[in-house]
Amino acid sequence: MIGKTDLKLEAFLQQEAKQRKISRSEWEVMALITQGYDIPEIAEHIKIQASAVRQRLSQVYDKFEIAGRGPVKMAKLQKFLMSRYQEYQTVLPETTDPNCFKNDWGEAPKLSGFHGRQQQLTLLKNQILQQQCRLLAIQGMGGIGKTRLIVKLGQILQNQSYCLFWRSLKNTPSLSDLLTKLLEFLNNEIDIPESIEGKISLVIEQLNSSPCLIILDDAEHILQSGSSGKYIPGYDDYGLFFELVGESKHQSCLVVISQEKIRGISLSAQLSSQVHQFFLEGLNAEEVGKLLQEQGLKGSATHWQEMVHDYGGNPLALKLLSLMIIDLFQGEIGNFLKHRTIVIKEGFREILDNQFYRLSDTQKQILFCLAEAGKPLSLKDLQEKSDDFLSLSKILEPLESLLGRSLVEKIQHQPGNEVLFGLQPLIQKYIKQHQLSPL
């Protein structure tokens, strides 16, 4: 929101907002007023109606006790804030770091060559800034770009006065250790309690002091293999942490990134408007075209669409394939597509292997049935083709889990028609080549 070059002004406005209980949406308007924006410019900048800007400004005027009408009130607010800012600068110690919005990116990857996803970024940004989402689950298959999307989102919110704390759960850290590191990051001068409950309470208290984006990546590693979103033994306290962060009042957001649905968060999303689930799908044809052209490939809009169909728009699968197309087909996608084959490169196969080995026997059986059929099947067909004619009750939950992992697609051509379930061509090839073929 405010230019990076004036961190002192940013810190001052945050201080004023905290003292006068200015909300996040009100602060957004107040900060732009300080920079000299008028109402139409603010409306265009933050993508809301001018009437909504005036409504937020009305609340700001009341909290600052600004009297008058229309432009007079705006001029008075600007003058008051800048006068207060001058006083703030004269008393600010030289040793104070004005960049009070700290960042700890932890294991987050470096971001380069980000493509598309503008619609998704806008949606997620609005959920956090406008709808005050407190708990956000990002879900999708491996390689689809979940982590990169949230890195980009973090960069955007970092420029809007959010501090940022990123950790991976790949090595299954205990919640106690994670919360200790988080509390040390949020405030290194507080006494940290020993109990989990005490640490969670203190974290929520700190999250209400200033806006922070907490990102936990690779959350599937704290879930049981073969289950539908249940935690591994000894890690149920993560569920308590997620639940309390989602239901407590504060001005921050916890983002949990996972290949698998987390049951507790799914339930909370149904009950609370401050908890959201977001399922990330593959890139569209236009985005795939930009990605592959940057990789040095040549093709047409039809070729991009074919690659979306065959590879589900998975960015990692496409990037890994690009090198082979350059080496063997001089970068001409059309020449590669003539052979009508799907190639799964080693790096992407490892991701699918890891996802496959986390499945239950019933989930694997469903995938085998669909792969051998080579076409979408109904629930009744799946029952009949299963080895021991599984009951419907034993199929529904594993099938729902497979849908959530992007390993199975739901197909319904017309409303009211029977729902069928099938595999993306990429998954179909993987199952038949690497799981059904003899060793």
Side-chain angles (χ1 to χ4, degrees), residues 302-316:
T302 301
H303 296 145
W304 311 141
Q305 190 61 56
E306 287 187 59
M307 296 295 275
V308 170
H309 175 268
D310 289 351
Y311 294 88
N314 190 292
L316 180 60

Side-chain angles (χ1 to χ4, degrees), residues 205-247:
E205 179 183 321
Q206 293 297 311
L207 294 183
N208 197 39
S209 298
S210 60
C212 185
L213 190 68
I214 304 168
I215 301 167
L216 302 181
D217 198 2
D218 306 306
E220 66 272 8
H221 290 274
I222 62 170
L223 303 178
Q224 295 182 34
S225 297
S227 73
S228 298
K230 296 180 181 178
Y231 298 98
I232 58 179
Y235 283 75
D236 289 332
D237 49 10
Y238 271 93
L240 174 65
F241 176 51
F242 297 156
E243 179 183 353
L244 291 177
V245 169
E247 70 181 21

Side-chain angles (χ1 to χ4, degrees), residues 112-129:
S112 61
F114 187 83
H115 297 279
R117 304 296 198 193
Q118 293 307 310
Q119 183 178 356
Q120 293 90 337
L121 280 170
T122 299
L123 174 64
L124 295 176
K125 178 185 170 185
N126 288 341
Q127 285 181 344
I128 294 174
L129 295 179

Side-chain angles (χ1 to χ4, degrees), residues 328-429:
L328 301 181
F329 299 94
Q330 291 76 50
E332 297 284 349
I333 291 183
N335 293 338
F336 167 71
L337 290 173
K338 288 177 184 177
H339 295 274
R340 299 310 311 150
T341 186
I342 294 176
V343 178
I344 302 174
K345 298 296 290 181
E346 185 64 27
F348 188 67
R349 177 189 162 183
E350 290 175 2
I351 287 178
L352 292 179
D353 285 344
N354 290 334
Q355 228 175 327
F356 184 84
Y357 293 137
R358 289 182 55 80
L359 301 178
S360 67
D361 290 341
T362 302
Q363 289 167 338
K364 292 177 182 177
Q365 192 174 346
I366 291 172
L367 292 178
F368 292 155
C369 288
L370 291 172
E372 289 178 325
K375 63 179 183 179
L377 299 176
S378 66
L379 283 172
K380 183 179 179 182
D381 293 334
L382 281 172
Q383 283 182 272
E384 292 177 351
K385 291 181 178 295
S386 61
D387 292 341
D388 49 3
F389 197 85
L390 295 173
S391 66
L392 186 61
S393 61
K394 290 185 177 179
I395 284 181
L396 290 179
E397 190 171 309
L399 182 59
E400 181 187 24
S401 178
L402 290 171
L403 286 168
R405 298 166 195 242
S406 302
L407 294 176
V408 170
E409 290 184 315
K410 183 169 65 174
I411 302 167
Q412 187 177 20
H413 296 297
Q414 294 292 336
N417 286 1
E418 184 177 29
V419 176
L420 302 179
F421 301 92
L423 302 177
Q424 290 181 13
L426 180 67
I427 305 301
Q428 172 91 8
K429 179 66 175 282

